[in-house]
Amino acid sequence: MQKGIAGDAPSPPTTRVRHRKRNSDIGAGAGKTNGNHLLVNDSSKYKSFLVRAYSTIWMIGGFALIVYLGHLYITAMVVVIQIFMARELFNLLRKTHEDKQLPGFRLLNWHFFFTAMLFVYGRILSQRLVNTVTPDKVLYRLVTSLIRYHMAICYSLYISGFVWFILTLKKKMYKYQFSQYAWTHMILIVVFTQSSFTVANIFEGIFWFLLPASLIVINDIFAYICGFFFGRTPLIKLSPKKTWEGFIGASITTVISAFLLANIMGRFLWLTCPREDLSTGWLHCDPGPLFKQETHTLPGWISDLLPWKEITILPVQWHALCLGLFASIIAPFGGFFASGFKRAFKIKDFGDSIPGHGGMTDRMDCQMVMAVFAYIYHQSFVVPEVLSVDKLLDQIITSLTLEEQQALFMKLGQMLQEKVIGS
């Protein structure tokens, strides 16, 4: 009897060992050769292809309509996408049992989210809001006052959330609550802040939003198609269905598409003109030298092979090549990061809001990386460094009160008068 009891005692550790082995087998199976996971070997690939294609057509159609409607509608779309992404990521670490013991704690996540939204979009859109309400004196004074105290308002909201968090701390729930607090801030920094650069790109001209976003879509589509038909060599263990054939095919297609799409998009003022206010009217502007055609004579050996001797391009097409290279080589690592993240949490997708694609976060992983690069590239290599009269006036209107503006006007008049007399 004692011998039988002694033999039964070690059974719990054995169970745990088997459990760990089962988890490791899953990881090993995923990274063995990846051969069984390739799309070319997937028996149901045509069914998933049709579902994915159907969803893609609807998304592209809806996206085209929103772009046609203009800057404000695109911004609203970005905000909706950010809310969906936040919801998917908040739910990832959510535990129902713990949440039931912390009534109202879930609202704290959204409090921090919308506070961050107010801060970031307030900084990006403040001047455009002032330009919109300038004709109305009452609204103008209200808006300028809000903008002046914008940072203080946002900090007050944040610190109230911080105090709220401290007051809701509950014994035996500390670890869960602090992990949620850290998780929320990680989402705000990694996801929300990066995707907010998209809105900054929109108001610099839809071109600087549409081209980078389109290149990510093209890269994703052709990586899938090339991998679907030709994929044989696994690319990375984090994402078993990705292949070198898909990666290289998509890279070539993306760079060529960048050069061609820039020429097409650069011809429309609706896409190239920056929006200086929050209105929805049609835009007219001087597109600038980047969007004015230049004619180049082809070298002799090339013109002998082609039916034309000259080509007409837009200077912005050279910038588009840089965007295309980043979209095809670097941006996919945003997807690999998301794949590793999903493997860490043992989930297939972040959500199921888009049939065949997963959740909103699954579609936006590369877009976030691309949006930041597009903004930094535009500010560093495209925007001229000189200050324009319009920008100086914008700063004066935003930063100075009406009395200070009148004093500046009188002082400037005196200085100009003295200059004229002196000359």
Side-chain angles (χ1 to χ4, degrees):
M1 179 67 71
Q2 289 178 350
K3 196 172 183 180
I5 293 171
D8 293 337
S11 58
T14 306
T15 305
R16 285 195 296 269
V17 170
R18 286 177 180 173
H19 179 67
R20 285 196 296 268
K21 186 177 180 182
R22 185 164 59 250
N23 287 340
S24 64
D25 287 344
I26 292 171
K32 211 186 280 182
T33 60
N34 291 345
N36 295 330
H37 295 280
L38 299 179
L39 282 171
V40 290
N41 300 323
D42 191 347
S43 58
S44 62
K45 66 177 184 177
Y46 288 103
K47 182 181 178 181
S48 61
F49 178 82
L50 290 174
V51 173
R52 192 181 178 100
Y54 183 76
S55 299
T56 301
I57 291 169
W58 273 102
M59 283 193 293
I60 292 174
F63 180 71
L65 175 62
I66 291 171
V67 168
Y68 173 77
L69 291 174
H71 303 70
L72 283 182
Y73 292 91
I74 301 172
T75 302
M77 177 192 70
V78 172
V79 170
V80 170
I81 289 172
Q82 288 177 326
I83 292 172
F84 269 91
M85 291 171 65
R87 186 180 65 119
E88 291 172 357
L89 293 170
F90 285 151
N91 289 338
L92 197 59
L93 287 187
R94 185 175 181 180
K95 296 180 180 178
T96 308
H97 176 70
E98 283 79 353
D99 283 347
K100 285 180 180 178
Q101 299 180 53
L102 299 167
F105 184 72
R106 184 58 48 185
L107 292 174
L108 190 58
N109 292 339
W110 292 107
H111 173 84
F112 285 122
F113 177 82
F114 286 111
T115 298
M117 184 175 285
L118 177 64
F119 177 76
V120 172
Y121 288 145
R123 303 286 287 183
I124 293 172
L125 303 177
S126 58
Q127 186 53 57
R128 292 173 175 87
L129 182 58
V130 170
N131 295 341
T132 305
V133 302
T134 299
D136 191 313
K137 289 184 179 179
V138 177
L139 276 177
Y140 172 75
R141 288 178 180 175
L142 175 63
V143 168
T144 51
S145 298
L146 288 173
I147 290 172
R148 173 166 294 192
Y149 301 109
H150 168 256
M151 190 173 291
I153 293 169
C154 293
Y155 179 75
S156 299
L157 288 171
Y158 177 83
I159 210 68
S160 66
F162 176 75
V163 172
W164 178 5
F165 170 75
I166 298 299
L167 293 176
T168 56
L169 287 173
K170 193 173 181 180
K171 195 175 181 181
K172 296 183 179 179
M173 303 291 291
Y174 295 152
K175 186 176 181 180
Y176 176 72
Q177 288 179 280
F178 275 102
S179 67
Q180 286 291 311
Y181 184 81
W183 178 240
T184 300
H185 283 70
M186 194 280 288
I187 291 171
L188 296 181
I189 294 169
V190 176
V191 178
F192 177 77
T193 305
Q194 288 192 86
S195 56
S196 296
F197 280 93
T198 304
V199 175
N201 293 335
I202 292 167
F203 284 91
E204 293 292 344
I206 295 177
F207 177 94
W208 298 104
F209 155 76
L210 183 59
L211 180 64
S214 300
L215 294 179
I216 293 297
V217 173
I218 289 169
N219 186 262
D220 185 60
I221 289 173
F222 279 93
Y224 183 80
I225 290 174
C226 293
F228 185 91
F229 290 105
F230 311 111
R232 291 290 187 278
T233 313
L235 175 63
I236 188 169
K237 291 182 179 181
L238 282 173
S239 193
K241 292 186 179 181
K242 298 288 194 303
T243 62
W244 274 105
E245 291 81 2
F247 183 79
I248 294 170
S251 298
I252 295 170
T253 308
T254 303
V255 172
I256 294 172
S257 299
F259 192 77
L260 298 177
L261 279 176
N263 188 285
I264 297 169
M265 294 180 186
R267 298 173 187 271
F268 297 94
L269 289 179
W270 180 244
L271 301 179
T272 58
C273 290
R275 172 69 74 181
E276 300 295 342
D277 55 26
L278 300 181
S279 64
T280 57
W282 201 255
L283 286 170
H284 298 281
C285 70
D286 178 7
L290 280 179
F291 298 100
K292 292 180 179 176
Q293 292 184 358
E294 292 180 351
T295 302
H296 297 270
T297 304
L298 294 173
W301 64 275
I302 296 179
S303 59
D304 292 339
L305 300 173
L306 299 173
W308 53 83
K309 307 297 180 183
E310 296 179 337
I311 58 168
T312 302
I313 65 169
L314 303 178
V316 76
Q317 289 179 255
W318 304 118
H319 292 291
L321 287 177
C322 296
L323 295 176
L325 285 170
F326 187 90
S328 57
I329 298 173
I330 306 299
F333 281 84
F336 301 151
F337 176 85
S339 296
F341 202 83
K342 288 184 283 189
R343 280 179 167 269
F345 285 91
K346 295 181 173 61
I347 56 172
K348 182 183 178 184
D349 297 310
F350 287 104
D352 55 1
S353 53
I354 309 173
H357 294 266
M360 198 65 72
T361 310
D362 295 285
R363 289 297 88 216
M364 293 297 122
D365 44 18
C366 300
Q367 292 285 4
M368 291 186 296
V369 178
M370 189 69 199
V372 178
F373 174 77
Y375 178 80
I376 293 173
Y377 183 89
H378 180 264
Q379 295 299 314
S380 301
F381 302 107
V382 178
V383 175
E385 293 183 4
V386 294
L387 275 174
S388 65
V389 175
D390 290 337
K391 285 188 177 180
L392 285 173
L393 287 174
D394 287 343
Q395 290 178 7
I396 290 168
I397 291 171
T398 307
S399 305
L400 302 181
T401 63
L402 186 59
E403 292 77 15
E404 290 170 335
Q405 291 175 28
Q406 289 172 342
L408 176 64
F409 176 75
M410 297 296 292
K411 186 69 176 175
L412 186 60
Q414 290 174 6
M415 290 172 64
L416 290 173
Q417 236 177 358
E418 291 170 3
K419 200 169 183 181
V420 169
I421 292 169
S423 62

